[in-house]
Amino acid sequence: YSERIGWTLQASRSMALSDTADLSMDVQTPNILGRGEIRDLLYNNAGDLTGARYQIGQSTNVSLQGSAHLSWRPNSQDVINLNAQYVPAWNKTDTVQYEAIATTALRSSLVGRTEYDDNYTAEVGGDWEHRFSQALSVKLIGLISQSNVVQQDVYDIFTAPAAYLIRTQDRTT
């Protein structure tokens, strides 16, 4: 990765709702910026240099993460915990690649962007623990999780001597 500056802002709050219930909330906005540079020399099976490739990939990953946790002790034997988290993300990666033959003439170029438009994860969970004694308890745990990834890649591709195309790929997971 490059020397790009990433950042995170976070706000957290915990509070007692009563003598038997506590609530914690957290909101974060991480931003991770990266840049990868790849330089390849290309050889054939005989070991002869056939070309070179240079690629730059620059990522910008921005998201918002919100979570909450409620803990309730209705009596001395039971504890109930409820958790929720939602994380939408707006990520993209810009890519540039040039490939040349051994004489340094351009063989191909690729310029493109990958965008992740509708990405999120969401979770709701909870547990109930019942203590029978100091040495024996039972816990029931539940979790519902959902995630979505929509990705679109658009590349302008040039291949020497004169072939040009735009390739678009759409993916949803």
Side-chain angles (χ1 to χ4, degrees):
Y1 285 109
S2 69
E3 297 172 358
R4 296 175 73 199
I5 295 174
W7 50 268
T8 298
L9 298 174
Q10 180 175 5
S12 298
R13 169 97 172 148
S14 295
M15 64 189 96
L17 300 178
S18 69
D19 290 343
T20 61
D22 298 309
L23 177 64
S24 299
M25 296 177 292
D26 182 74
V27 176
Q28 299 180 28
T29 59
N31 181 336
I32 302 170
L33 307 173
R35 179 182 172 120
E37 293 187 26
I38 301 168
R39 294 170 192 195
D40 295 319
L41 295 176
L42 308 173
Y43 296 92
N44 63 17
N45 289 339
D48 301 322
L49 181 66
T50 61
R53 181 174 37 235
Y54 178 65
Q55 179 177 345
I56 298 172
Q58 186 161 307
S59 298
T60 301
N61 300 321
V62 179
S63 65
L64 177 68
Q65 176 176 311
S67 60
H69 170 80
L70 175 66
S71 181
W72 177 45
R73 299 167 302 285
N75 56 50
S76 61
Q77 292 86 22
D78 296 306
V79 176
I80 298 170
N81 292 296
L82 298 173
N83 304 290
Q85 178 174 279
Y86 180 64
V87 184
W90 304 273
N91 302 333
K92 68 179 180 179
T93 301
D94 292 308
T95 303
V96 176
Q97 176 179 299
Y98 298 103
E99 189 171 315
I101 59 177
T103 63
T104 69
L106 182 65
R107 176 184 291 157
S108 66
S109 69
L110 177 143
V111 177
R113 172 174 278 182
T114 300
E115 292 187 359
Y116 305 88
D117 296 324
D118 184 21
N119 296 344
Y120 68 88
T121 59
E123 292 184 353
V124 176
D127 65 72
W128 167 54
E129 182 176 10
H130 180 77
R131 184 162 298 284
F132 294 100
S133 69
Q134 284 291 90
L136 179 63
S137 68
V138 65
K139 184 180 271 195
L140 177 65
I141 301 171
L143 175 67
I144 299 170
S145 180
Q146 171 71 35
S147 64
N148 189 63
V149 176
V150 174
Q151 177 178 339
Q152 182 184 52
D153 304 301
V154 178
Y155 297 107
D156 293 334
I157 302 169
F158 172 77
T159 305
Y164 177 78
L165 69 100
I166 296 175
R167 183 177 74 197
T168 301
Q169 299 172 182
D170 292 314
R171 291 176 254 188
T172 300
T173 304

